[in-house]
Amino acid sequence: MELKPGESATIKRVYNNNVLLAGLPDGSEMVLVGKGIGFNHRQGETVDVEAADQRFVPDGSFAASHGAGVLGDAPLEQIEVAREIMAMVQAELRLEPRLSLLVPILDHMGFAVQRAREGIKVDFPLRWEVAQLYPAEGNLGRRVVALIKEQLGVQLQDEEWVAFALHFVNQQWSTSDFSKTVSMTETIAKVFTLLSVRWQSNIDENAHSAARFVTHLRFLFARSAKATTSAVLGVDVFESVRQAYPEAAEAALEVAELIGEALNRHLGADEVSYLALHTSRLYVEMLKTENSP
């Protein structure tokens, strides 16, 4: 929210010299972050929101007070790194800097740094899946680990990039339920395993058709989270695929059943038709690869 001319924000709580929670004239709240913005200020005073380096309003995932609390507990140098990460995410993944991303990134960074300093190792079982299914987020996650070493002088466990990448994927769901992102990742990996077993062939997950399929599956999960459905095709695409590539159509039915179990709902005819379009493209590409000299 932008303040109108003549309006001011009121300090509701000062967490430290660099983080405070402000109340706006419409009754909403805003987290203000900036070096020294809370210095020598008290509850009830007015504050110039333009003086903040960054301003965050709640987006439904976290209350402003919760976000301010996490920021208030974090060392300033980690907040600065988190802000750099947010800028990278905005530039490379086209995601807006939101409190729902800043809070889990900062929270995870704090625990990861603590684990590294104490020599504690943890397991990241989705390394392969994340690398294959989310290459852009995975590459950014690796750069985040390098940035933390550069800025904080702490070498995180190499595999920490996996968790950061999943946070970036999770943000694209517009949900704070991280477990749904993990479930989606596991399910998409199972889909490719299912197809590879059915067709007795390894699928090139770096191929264009595979990347498009992954994107479609991600949007399918996102639509389910928002209780929306796919666009109506208006034609019997599934029957067309069945006639041209019966194996791809049967595979789409199995994929639909697998995804339906993960989402705890039955996929409609149009959603199955979309799956059939993608499985047919994968199937044709696989046949071309096998028949090439």
Side-chain angles (χ1 to χ4, degrees):
M1 172 191 172
E2 296 295 332
L3 294 178
K4 298 177 181 178
E7 290 185 333
S8 60
T10 303
I11 297 175
K12 299 187 72 171
R13 181 174 176 180
V14 178
Y15 287 84
N16 55 39
N17 287 342
N18 311 302
V19 179
L20 58 80
L21 180 66
L24 304 180
D26 66 353
S28 61
E29 296 177 327
M30 178 182 289
V31 181
L32 304 181
V33 180
K35 192 170 184 178
I37 194 168
F39 178 71
N40 207 27
H41 282 298
R42 292 177 175 80
Q43 181 179 350
E45 296 179 350
T46 58
V47 61
D48 179 12
V49 298
E50 297 298 328
D53 294 330
Q54 283 193 304
R55 306 185 295 273
F56 296 97
V57 295
D59 51 15
S61 299
F62 295 98
S65 56
H66 174 68
V70 173
L71 286 161
D73 289 338
L76 179 59
E77 60 269 20
Q78 290 188 18
I79 295 177
E80 293 297 327
V81 172
R83 289 172 55 194
E84 285 194 50
I85 294 171
M86 297 287 281
M88 292 161 63
V89 169
Q90 185 175 23
E92 299 181 28
L93 301 181
R94 301 294 188 267
L95 294 176
E96 290 299 316
R98 297 176 182 270
L99 202 60
S100 57
L101 178 59
L102 178 64
V103 169
I105 287 296
L106 189 57
D107 199 39
H108 182 83
M109 186 198 313
F111 282 112
V113 167
Q114 182 179 347
R115 285 196 298 270
R117 287 172 173 164
E118 296 176 359
I120 299 173
K121 299 283 187 179
V122 296
D123 187 33
F124 292 91
L126 296 177
R127 291 190 303 274
W128 184 88
E129 289 85 350
V130 173
Q132 295 297 314
L133 301 177
Y134 316 127
E137 291 85 351
N139 288 335
L140 188 54
R142 292 184 182 90
R143 290 177 53 206
V144 165
V145 172
L147 177 68
I148 290 172
K149 180 181 180 181
E150 176 187 331
Q151 298 293 333
L152 302 180
V154 178
Q155 177 61 65
L156 301 185
Q157 183 179 339
D158 288 341
E159 295 83 0
E160 290 284 0
W161 67 266
V162 177
F164 285 111
L166 285 172
H167 281 300
F168 302 148
V169 174
N170 191 62
Q171 181 64 17
Q172 296 168 59
W173 278 62
S174 298
T175 176
S176 61
D177 191 345
F178 191 77
S179 65
K180 289 184 177 179
T181 298
V182 173
S183 175
M184 176 182 69
T185 303
E186 293 173 338
T187 302
I188 294 176
K190 289 178 182 177
V191 166
F192 279 95
T193 299
L194 182 156
L195 296 177
S196 295
V197 171
R198 273 194 68 100
W199 299 339
Q200 297 183 355
S201 177
N202 291 326
I203 297 174
D204 182 5
E205 295 179 16
N206 295 314
H208 182 60
S209 58
R212 290 177 64 182
F213 190 29
V214 170
T215 299
H216 174 75
L217 293 176
R218 289 173 64 172
F219 277 111
L220 194 160
F221 273 82
R223 286 195 302 271
S224 180
K226 297 177 182 178
T228 59
T229 58
S230 59
V232 177
L233 289 173
V235 294
D236 195 349
V237 171
F238 183 81
E239 188 57 35
S240 298
V241 172
R242 187 197 292 274
Q243 292 178 11
Y245 307 105
E247 170 54 35
E250 291 302 315
L253 291 175
E254 276 200 55
V255 170
E257 183 176 351
L258 178 62
I259 293 175
E261 290 176 358
L263 296 176
N264 196 29
R265 72 175 180 86
H266 178 73
L267 298 190
D270 281 299
E271 290 171 320
V272 176
S273 292
Y274 275 113
L275 291 175
L277 280 175
H278 285 283
T279 55
S280 65
R281 288 170 182 153
L282 286 171
Y283 187 67
V284 169
E285 192 165 281
M286 180 201 69
L287 292 177
K288 288 181 179 178
T289 301
E290 290 183 346
N291 295 329
S292 62

